[in-house]
């Protein structure tokens, strides 16, 4: 499959490496391709680096792995016509570091970055997912508690969520994918981040997740 | 022990019944004592109903089990001199139902109701806890997954948190009490509520909690 990933940071590189290992044709989209030459040299699979627009045109499936503040600008560079009709897995978190640590959220209650993206691109099938775990758990959930914990997804399009669930399961090994509802529930997934940040501090490691127990 | 509980709703009644069963002297504080006559008739232990001020004066340990919007007004009626120096377990959530369902939060990112209460009453030892589970789990966590899940606490006073942890363990049976940090971390515990509300919908029951897995 052709996969386009926006974002040159740890999340984009981690997803990109995993998807390339699986044999898919990956393009990482960034305004600064020079930053990704080292990453590119480490890939054995079919990996490329391109502009946001080239990445959007390349991908049958797209990932938004930019920093929260970079999400809407990156999608603007990608171009609506390159995005429309496609599944966009939105992993971003609206973290605001301008007031010191821990970061607050630059959009939240009662809105979210996932909703802002869906409103800006009504013809894109936005599914919020994977934003509640650290990058290495996104692509390898079984390293923690044998994968017996939950990842959430939020989106308006049932088919896009079915495809997301299959992708999370088949590509990354997720055992428990929990559908929270439409894209408005992205605010729930994003507002969990302050708790994630405190749990990170309390645990002393980012290698954790939550399991919903009944 | 003498325990004062602000709030006449399900949370206050559930905590009150449990603490009375344990043999403590409980007073539930409300502006509308008539609403609690039925509850009072069901108690076998030492239970009373009183005004917020009488409840605050009575309690060596206090619980804030009011609705979020009622918290600061109830504490104002309780009176600073009756509250000062005491441990106040703050269970409230700043739920705002004015915009329909699901509720949003009337204070959040980067603030919280727990912080507002601590700022208003700097000599009270506020510990935010129990706000992330439904009432019956608060006092009986082992009904879900044999208690193998987490409750959080947030507060500035180390001794107050040690007392809180002991109380949650000894009175209610909590196995995993996780200290998130000072009272500023109450925003993390409160901003989890939108996710809790969606998990409630997805699970079809309020009898769930999250376990932090590593």
């Amino acid at each position: 499959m052709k996969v386009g990933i926006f974002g040159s940071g740890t999340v984009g590189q981690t997803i990109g490496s995993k998807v390339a290992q699986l044999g898919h044709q990956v393009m990482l989209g960034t305004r600064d391709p020079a930053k990704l030459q080292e990453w590119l040299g480490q890939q054995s699979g079919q990996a490329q680096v391109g502009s946001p627009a080239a990445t959007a045109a390349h991908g049958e499936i797209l990932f938004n792995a930019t920093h929260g503040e970079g999400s809407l600008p990156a999608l603007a560079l990608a171009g609506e016509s390159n995005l429309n009709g496609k599944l966009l897995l939105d992993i971003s978190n609206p973290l605001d570091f301008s007031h010191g640590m821990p970061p607050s959220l630059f959009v939240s209650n009662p809105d979210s970055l996932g909703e802002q993206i869906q409103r800006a691109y009504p013809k894109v099938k936005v599914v919020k997912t994977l934003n509640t775990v650290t990058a290495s758990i996104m692509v390898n959930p079984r390293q923690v508690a044998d994968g017996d914990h939950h990842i959430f997804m939020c989106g308006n399009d049932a088919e896009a969520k079915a495809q997301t669930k299959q992708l999370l399961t088949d590509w990354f090994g997720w055992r428990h994918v929990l559908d929270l509802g439409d894209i408005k529930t992205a605010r729930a997934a994003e507002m969990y981040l302050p708790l994630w940040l405190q749990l990170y501090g309390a645990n002393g490691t980012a290698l954790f997740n939550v399991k919903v127990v009944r």
Side-chain angles (χ1 to χ4, degrees), chain A:
Chain A
M1 256 190 136
K2 291 183 176 179
V3 178
I5 302 170
F6 306 114
S8 58
T10 304
V11 174
Q13 292 186 23
T14 303
I15 302 261
S17 296
K18 178 68 179 180
V19 175
Q21 278 166 25
L22 293 168
H24 300 290
Q25 296 173 47
V26 172
M27 187 182 289
L28 248 68
T30 173
R31 282 174 296 182
D32 189 3
K35 281 172 64 179
L36 285 171
Q37 292 311 305
E38 187 181 342
W39 174 82
L40 201 55
Q42 293 162 349
Q43 305 311 309
S44 52
Q46 299 183 61
Q48 304 173 68
V49 173
S51 68
T55 298
H58 166 85
E60 299 164 277
I61 291 179
L62 301 171
F63 285 83
N64 176 30
T66 62
H67 292 293
E69 286 181 350
S71 294
L72 287 168
L75 294 172
L77 290 172
E80 193 168 357
S81 62
N82 292 323
L83 298 168
N84 279 347
K86 294 180 179 174
L87 169 62
L88 174 68
L89 282 81
D90 173 29
I91 310 180
S92 64
N93 278 306
L95 298 180
D96 177 0
F97 294 90
S98 67
H99 305 290
M101 294 298 288
S104 55
L105 304 182
F106 64 75
V107 56
S108 74
N109 180 59
D111 198 0
S112 63
L113 185 53
E115 290 167 85
Q116 288 184 334
I117 292 171
Q118 184 65 84
R119 285 200 300 272
Y121 300 95
K123 293 181 181 167
V124 175
K125 297 165 186 167
V126 179
V127 177
K128 187 99 209 175
T129 192
L130 292 176
N131 69 303
T132 55
V133 293
T134 200
S136 78
I137 295 182
M138 293 178 190
V139 299
N140 184 13
R142 306 216 177 184
Q143 71 186 292
V144 170
D146 195 31
D148 189 17
H149 47 85
H150 286 81
I151 199 73
F152 310 117
M153 63 176 181
C154 320
N156 293 338
D157 188 290
E159 200 177 315
K161 285 194 284 193
Q163 190 176 7
T164 297
K165 184 173 183 174
Q166 185 146 23
L167 187 155
L168 294 175
T169 306
D170 295 350
W171 289 10
F172 302 151
W174 280 94
R175 290 172 57 187
H176 307 310
V177 181
L178 211 159
D179 184 355
L180 292 182
D182 65 20
I183 194 64
K184 283 186 180 175
T185 65
R187 63 187 71 162
E190 294 178 10
M191 288 173 73
Y192 164 76
L193 256 285
L195 181 57
W196 186 90
L197 290 161
Q198 297 305 330
L199 292 175
Y200 177 24
N203 283 320
T205 172
L207 293 176
F208 70 89
N209 192 14
V210 289
K211 177 186 177 185
V212 181
V213 297
R214 289 175 52 171

